[in-house]
Structures are given as C-alpha cells and as structure tokens.
C-alpha cells in the first residue's frame, strides 16, 4: 500500500490500526494523539468485524458481543467518537454486516486416504 498514491496516509493508517489510545497496542505502543484518526476508525471496524464474523478457528461471537467490547474499551483502547459513531450506525440506524460475513464457513469433508 505504501507505493499507491492516495491523497491520505492510508498505508500509515493500516500500519497503526492495532495501536490503542492507552499505549497498549502495537507495533509502536503509540498513544491517543500519536495515532492517525483514520487508524482509529479502522481499529474499531476491525474489532467489530473480527469478533462478529466466523473464523476457521472459532465461530463468530455476534455483533452484540463486538459492540459490547468496543463500548467497554471506549476511551481506553478505542476512540470515543469512533465507538459512538459505530454504536449509532448499528443500534440506531439499523446497519448490519453483510450476511456472507456472519455465515459460518462451508464445511469441508475430509477425504479418507
């Protein structure tokens, strides 16, 4: 991404999206004012999507668990304005993740050898 000419520092936002307001994130342990706002948006979106969606190693926990997590860590790990916008989007405006994201993966049959 660093070689794509965006009008915003997208590569840096992606790089910073695991940083947390309290400095407990990675890769650089940045704190609130050091983290790009776009990275703060990606961080909340990433947590909500990751927690609510099924993964090969575990079932999805659902949107409510994801929203509870970002709400619980609002102002600690995640930007309060971003969390509030996310909560508003899902709870007040009725947004939902696309059904394909929430569906369990298609089971693969094992083949006996």
């Amino acid at each position: 991404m660093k070689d794509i000419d965006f009008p915003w520092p997208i590569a840096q936002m992606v790089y910073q999206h695991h940083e947390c307001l309290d400095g407990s994130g990675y890769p650089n342990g940045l704190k609130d004012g050091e983290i790009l706002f776009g990275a703060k948006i990606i961080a909340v979106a990433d947590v909500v999507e990751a927690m609510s969606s099924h993964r090969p190693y575990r079932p999805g926990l659902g949107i409510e668990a994801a929203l509870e997590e970002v709400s619980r860590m609002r102002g600690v790990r995640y930007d309060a304005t971003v969390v509030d916008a996310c909560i508003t989007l899902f709870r007040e405006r009725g947004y939902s993740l696309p059904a394909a994201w929430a569906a369990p993966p298609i089971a693969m049959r094992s083949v006996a050898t």
Side-chain angles (χ1 to χ4, degrees):
M1 295 190 72
K2 67 183 173 82
D3 296 328
I4 300 172
D5 186 28
F6 289 110
W8 312 279
I10 301 296
Q12 194 63 24
M13 290 176 195
V14 171
Y15 183 69
Q16 292 182 358
H17 88 278
H18 284 288
E19 301 287 357
C20 298
L21 299 183
D22 63 2
S24 67
Y26 64 90
N28 296 311
L30 301 179
K31 291 188 175 183
D32 187 7
E34 301 168 311
I35 305 167
L36 294 169
F37 190 67
K40 295 174 183 181
I41 294 170
I42 295 169
V44 171
D46 183 50
V47 168
V48 170
E49 190 280 329
M51 287 185 67
S52 60
S53 299
H54 289 277
R55 296 290 194 248
Y57 51 87
R58 61 131 178 96
L61 303 173
I63 192 66
E64 282 307 314
L67 296 178
E68 286 175 22
E69 170 64 15
V70 294
S71 293
R72 185 175 67 83
M73 298 307 285
R74 177 188 181 275
V76 177
R77 288 190 180 179
Y78 311 116
D79 183 87
T81 302
V82 176
V83 170
D84 292 348
C86 179
I87 299 298
T88 296
L89 186 65
F90 281 93
R91 291 197 175 139
E92 296 175 23
R93 298 203 179 167
Y95 180 76
S96 61
L97 293 174
W101 291 2
I106 297 172
M108 300 284 293
R109 278 198 232 174
S110 63
V111 178
T113 55

